[in-house]
């Protein structure tokens, strides 16, 4: 057999061998060329730079979270090469339209692959995501570029209900949600249908712009997916405010440069006829600082010039005149300030047919209530625990109704001073809630008046029994320590501002659970020792030894000082203790010494050893009792 095979090979002419060899080489070269060409035409540089309409999208892509993900992974999908080739062949019409200039500007993506063939190849929708704390810096348009930081915790959530999850923002993926949009960019959504894991279907409609049954029947029903919200996750066009806030936070711009936040946003936001006009306007900042801040400019000329260079570069990433694209042309559906985003559905005016339920418009579904603090204020604490709340708060229409039902009972849980204002002095004056113009929320929509008629004005009942005091009272009861107008606890109503504290107990009586048979409620503990040399109570009772009673946490929360102690804790000496014992004074030779425990902890160098009753005390507590002679 091998001999016959060998004879056949020997019978092939040299010319045939030559043609076969050449054909093989040509085929390999062609195949390699096709593979290289396929790989190159799938590369982001080809997609972003070869087509003259794509520079804006490519620029935004390079600074996006998906800058290492190829364009085709989203636009074609991770699929079998045969499917990918077919889909890419269909995109040849883009080439035809570009060559014939038959395309619209600005360009919007159309015919994207389903999230299941793109996003979900990397992101597992059933995976639970823990809460994430976010700090958002914003610099004011004043001379000092005053910093205000918004602190909130994002409740990403997700997971499956089988695991007891299916909560938070990614709840939208666990449940089947379909919607009808009346525009190409899905910014107007008047109809939403939710099918939960039990198969129950609930339909919500916009009370302002309801669709007719015929319109609903004919409309395209879109299923909610990752891209419904994360529509700009790979091509984010930031606003001038976002660019400048980030630049100041990262020190790309000097926060000490007067009014740089205001002037930067001003020059980046102004519409210009051409790129040259924009460049001249930005360079005009040099003359502004030279004139308005001459001393600063003389000392920091280089800083001003660096800022101008940064702003010119930033403008080139924000505005693309030839493609008619800027930060205003492509809405970003994550968030709800710069575009409608979440408020497309969660605007407070999407109701069921019987108006009994609404798609919730409530901050703490997706994140905690935002807290704003400045650089001169202490950072607020954010609790992750979900506390108890009244039944009224669980209503889907609570945020819409809370203004109408607001009354004195709110004080039982919240600080209600200056309700509705934006001075951050209380829970009800949160600047992140009432200090923002919510352009896309429907709280004031006229259609809501049909669902929630104006509440009748409440009339105070002069015969109502004043609330009792839910805690013991001892010492000298100064109610204003906790209930003053500036208290962060439960301030008294503003109508009580002029009432003398001596009159508090005339109306409000102590009322607390009856004590156990062997316990007598006597109010705050009395002071069991002489006060000679012990005027600084917190020296021992806040950070002292383990055997010393420590102040409770709420004393620290209300920032009680030494001067407050004897207001509640009456001085009543233990009869078994000698009076006016005092404490050993520091000898004059020890003046200026502050590290007491270096010698007294173990009694080195002949020093008196620290008594066992002082175990755990620190140097800062020593001078509380032991005073210099």
């Amino acid at each position: 057999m091998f001999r016959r095979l060998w004879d056949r090979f020997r019978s092939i002419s040299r010319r045939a061998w030559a043609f076969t060899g050449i054909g093989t080489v040509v085929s390999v070269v062609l195949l390699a060329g096709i593979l290289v060409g396929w790989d190159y035409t799938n590369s982001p540089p080809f997609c972003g730079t070869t087509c003259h309409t794509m520079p804006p999208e490519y620029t935004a892509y390079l600074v996006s979270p998906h800058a290492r993900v190829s364009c085709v992974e989203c636009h074609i999908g991770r699929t079998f090469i045969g499917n990918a080739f077919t889909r890419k062949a269909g995109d040849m019409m883009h080439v035809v339209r570009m060559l014939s200039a038959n395309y619209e500007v600005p360009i919007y993506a159309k015919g994207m692959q389903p999230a299941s063939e793109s996003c979900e190849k990397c992101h597992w929708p059933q995976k639970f995501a823990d809460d994430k704390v976010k700090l958002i810096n914003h610099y004011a348009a004043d001379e000092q570029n005053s910093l205000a930081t918004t602190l909130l915790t994002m409740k990403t959530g997700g997971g499956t209900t089988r695991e007891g999850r299916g909560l938070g923002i990614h709840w939208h993926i666990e449940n089947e949600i379909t919607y009808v949009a009346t525009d190409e960019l899905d910014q107007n959504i008047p109809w939403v249908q939710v099918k939960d894991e039990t198969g129950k279907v609930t339909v919500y409609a916009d009370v302002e712009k309801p669709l007719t049954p015929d319109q609903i029947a004919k409309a395209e029903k879109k299923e909610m997916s990752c891209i419904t919200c994360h529509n700009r996750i790979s091509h984010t066009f930031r606003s001038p405010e976002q660019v400048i806030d980030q630049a100041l936070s990262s020190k790309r711009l000097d926060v000490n440069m007067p009014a740089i936040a205001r002037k930067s946003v001003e020059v980046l936001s102004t519409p210009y006829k051409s790129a040259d006009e924009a460049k001249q306007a930005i360079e005009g900042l040099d003359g502004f600082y030279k004139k308005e801040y001459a001393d600063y400019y003389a000392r920091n000329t280089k800083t001003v010039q660096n800022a101008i260079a940064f702003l010119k570069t930033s403008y080139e990433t924000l505005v693309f005149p030839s493609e008619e694209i800027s930060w205003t042309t492509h809405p970003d559906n994550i968030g709800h300030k710069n575009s409608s985003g979440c408020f497309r559905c969660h605007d407070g005016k999407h109701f069921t047919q019987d108006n009994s339920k609404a798609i919730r418009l409530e901050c703490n579904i997706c994140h905690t209530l935002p807290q704003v603090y400045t650089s001169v204020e202490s950072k607020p604490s954010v609790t992750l625990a979900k506390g108890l709340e009244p039944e009224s708060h669980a209503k889907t229409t609570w945020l819409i109704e809370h203004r109408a039902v607001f009354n004195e009972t709110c004080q039982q849980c919240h600080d209600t001073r200056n309700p509705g204002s934006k001075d951050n002095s209380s829970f009800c004056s949160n600047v992140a809630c009432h200090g923002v113009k919510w352009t896309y929320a429907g709280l004031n929509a006229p259609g809501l008046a049909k669902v929630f008629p104006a509440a009748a004005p409440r009339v105070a009942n002069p015969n109502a029994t004043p609330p009792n005091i839910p805690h013991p009272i001892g010492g000298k009861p100064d109610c204003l320590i906790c209930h003053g107008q500036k208290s962060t606890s439960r301030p008294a109503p503003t109508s009580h501002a002029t009432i003398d504290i001596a009159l508090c107990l005339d109306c409000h009586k102590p009322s607390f659970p009856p004590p156990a048979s062997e316990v007598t409620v006597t109010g705050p503990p009395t002071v069991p020792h002489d006060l000679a040399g012990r005027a600084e109570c917190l020296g021992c009772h806040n950070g002292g030894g383990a055997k010393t009673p420590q102040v409770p946490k709420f004393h620290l929360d209300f920032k009680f000082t030494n001067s407050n102690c004897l207001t509640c804790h009456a001085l009543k000496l233990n009869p078994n203790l000698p009076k006016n014992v005092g404490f050993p004074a520091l000898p004059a030779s020890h003046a200026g010494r502050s590290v007491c425990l270096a010698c007294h902890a173990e009694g080195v160098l002949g020093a008196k050893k620290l008594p066992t009753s002082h175990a755990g005390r620190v140097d800062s507590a020593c001078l509380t009792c032991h005073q210099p002679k």
Side-chain angles (χ1 to χ4, degrees):
M1 182 181 68
F2 290 106
R3 179 178 294 277
R4 286 197 301 268
L5 184 63
W6 173 248
D7 290 339
R8 287 184 180 181
F9 275 115
R10 292 183 60 185
S11 65
I12 299 174
S13 66
R14 292 183 178 181
R15 177 176 294 184
W17 277 114
F19 278 114
T20 301
I22 294 172
T24 302
V25 171
V26 170
S27 297
V28 171
V29 171
L30 286 175
L31 179 61
I34 291 172
L35 293 177
V36 171
W38 172 263
D39 186 65
Y40 173 66
T41 57
N42 287 339
S43 67
F46 174 81
C47 300
T49 61
T50 303
C51 178
H52 67 264
T53 61
M54 285 293 105
E57 301 290 351
Y58 187 59
T59 300
Y61 159 81
L62 291 175
V63 295
S64 77
H66 287 154
R68 295 290 182 91
V69 179
S70 297
C71 306
V72 294
E73 292 191 59
C74 293
H75 290 271
I76 291 181
R78 288 185 175 182
T79 183
F80 173 63
I81 188 170
N83 293 337
F85 186 83
T86 303
R87 291 173 182 174
K88 192 163 188 176
D91 289 340
M92 288 299 294
M93 287 304 300
H94 296 321
V95 178
V96 175
R97 292 191 184 99
M98 188 185 76
L99 294 176
S100 61
N102 183 26
Y103 56 86
E104 79 285 356
V105 287
I107 288 180
Y108 298 98
K110 297 178 181 178
M112 291 287 293
Q113 297 304 312
S116 59
E117 295 190 23
S118 53
C119 310
E120 294 180 15
K121 295 296 185 181
C122 296
H123 303 282
W124 185 22
Q126 284 78 29
K127 185 180 183 301
F128 180 80
D130 291 325
D131 293 345
K132 178 181 179 181
V133 176
K134 292 193 67 174
L135 295 176
I136 304 171
N137 292 332
H138 177 66
Y139 294 83
D142 56 19
E143 187 171 312
Q144 294 76 30
N145 308 305
S146 302
L147 170 63
T149 300
T150 301
L151 186 153
L152 49 79
T153 301
M154 301 302 301
K155 302 176 182 179
T156 307
T160 65
T161 52
R162 293 190 301 275
E163 300 171 348
R165 305 293 180 81
L167 305 171
I169 299 170
H170 285 174
W171 170 92
H172 298 83
I173 303 301
E174 172 69 11
N175 296 274
E176 182 182 326
I177 303 172
T178 53
Y179 63 93
V180 171
T182 57
D183 66 310
E184 291 187 2
L185 299 182
D186 288 3
Q187 295 302 292
N188 300 309
I189 301 178
W191 185 89
V192 179
Q193 176 179 283
V194 178
K195 184 178 181 180
D196 63 22
E197 69 278 3
T198 67
K200 180 183 177 181
V201 175
T202 307
V203 174
Y204 301 90
D206 189 338
V207 296
E208 290 281 287
K209 298 174 292 185
L211 299 179
T212 65
D214 185 56
Q215 288 175 317
I216 296 172
K218 294 179 179 179
E220 177 188 3
K221 311 297 190 303
K222 298 181 180 180
E223 184 173 350
M224 190 170 185
S225 68
C226 309
I227 302 300
T228 306
C229 295
H230 296 279
N231 65 316
R232 303 302 302 170
I233 192 61
S234 296
H235 303 285
T236 302
F237 292 106
R238 297 173 298 166
S239 69
E241 290 84 358
Q242 292 172 320
V243 171
I244 300 308
D245 286 340
Q246 184 179 17
L248 288 168
S249 295
S250 61
K251 304 188 186 316
R252 295 290 303 276
L253 290 176
D254 187 356
V255 72
N256 297 313
M257 190 172 173
I260 185 61
R262 173 172 60 85
K263 296 302 293 183
S264 296
V265 172
E266 181 181 300
V267 295
L268 293 181
S269 301
T270 302
Y272 302 103
K273 296 180 180 179
S274 65
D276 289 338
E277 184 180 353
K279 180 180 178 181
Q280 293 175 5
I282 296 172
E283 291 175 345
L285 290 178
D286 187 85
F288 169 80
Y289 280 98
K290 186 181 297 184
K291 177 182 178 181
E292 300 295 333
Y293 299 96
D295 293 341
Y296 175 88
Y297 183 85
R299 298 190 307 270
N300 301 276
T301 304
K302 186 65 176 177
T303 301
V304 175
Q305 292 174 348
N306 288 341
I308 292 173
F310 172 79
L311 292 175
K312 287 195 291 187
T313 301
S314 297
Y315 183 82
E316 293 173 356
T317 67
L318 292 175
V319 180
F320 301 85
S322 60
E323 293 86 5
E324 298 184 16
I325 286 179
S326 74
W327 72 93
T328 63
T329 55
H330 288 74
D332 187 351
N333 293 331
I334 288 293
H336 40 60
K337 283 191 175 181
N338 296 326
S339 55
S340 53
C342 309
F343 287 163
R344 293 176 297 165
C345 302
H346 293 271
D347 58 357
K349 56 190 182 76
H350 281 68
F351 281 84
T352 54
Q353 187 174 5
D354 60 0
N355 291 334
S356 61
K357 292 183 179 180
I359 297 180
R360 298 184 75 115
L361 168 59
E362 199 163 327
C363 303
N364 58 9
I365 299 175
C366 297
H367 56 72
T368 55
L369 294 179
Q371 299 187 57
V372 181
Y373 63 93
T374 64
S375 56
V376 298
E377 298 171 337
S378 59
K379 295 179 176 60
S381 60
V382 173
T383 177
L384 301 182
K386 184 177 180 181
L388 298 175
E389 60 181 15
E391 184 179 348
S392 60
H393 290 38
K395 295 177 62 177
T396 60
T397 56
W398 170 245
L399 194 63
I400 303 169
E401 297 182 75
H402 83 282
R403 295 176 294 181
V405 299
F406 172 82
N407 57 40
E408 63 278 358
T409 63
C410 302
Q411 287 189 108
Q412 295 177 9
C413 299
H414 305 296
D415 183 351
T416 60
R417 286 171 294 154
N418 305 320
S421 66
K422 51 184 178 180
D423 58 5
N424 254 2
S425 63
S426 69
F427 177 88
C428 290
S429 62
N430 190 329
V431 68
C433 299
H434 301 125
V436 178
K437 182 179 180 182
W438 297 108
T439 305
Y440 303 100
L443 288 172
N444 297 315
L448 287 179
K450 302 175 184 177
V451 183
F452 297 102
R458 294 186 302 273
V459 180
N461 180 8
N463 299 318
T465 303
N468 289 332
I469 303 171
H471 56 74
I473 297 177
K476 297 175 290 183
D478 185 350
C479 305
L480 296 183
I481 290 178
C482 295
H483 304 291
Q485 293 298 303
K486 295 183 178 181
S487 170
T488 57
S489 176
R490 296 181 184 173
T494 53
S495 60
H496 286 41
T498 58
I499 297 179
D500 191 283
I501 61 170
L503 301 176
C504 295
L505 298 182
D506 288 354
C507 298
H508 303 282
K509 305 300 181 184
S511 175
F512 37 87
S517 57
E518 70 279 6
V519 178
T520 302
V521 177
T522 58
T526 55
V527 182
H529 55 71
D530 195 294
L531 291 183
R534 299 185 180 184
E536 301 293 327
C537 308
L538 298 180
C540 292
H541 296 288
N542 180 25
K547 296 183 179 180
T548 305
Q550 298 296 292
V551 295
K553 182 178 181 300
F554 81 89
H555 283 43
L556 303 177
D557 293 339
F558 297 135
K559 300 180 180 178
F560 289 163
T561 64
N562 291 294
S563 61
N564 300 130
C565 298
L566 296 182
T567 301
C568 300
H569 300 279
L571 180 61
K572 184 178 181 181
L573 293 181
N574 186 328
N576 297 322
L577 292 178
K579 295 184 181 294
N580 299 319
V581 173
F583 301 92
L586 296 181
S589 60
H590 285 42
R593 300 185 184 182
S594 59
V595 190
C596 310
L597 298 183
C599 296
H600 294 286
E602 299 296 334
V604 299
L605 301 177
K608 186 176 181 179
K609 186 176 180 180
L610 197 71
T612 56
S613 62
H614 285 42
R617 297 189 181 179
V618 295
D619 290 302
S620 59
C622 298
L623 296 182
T624 300
C625 300
H626 303 282
Q627 303 293 327
K629 286 184 177 179

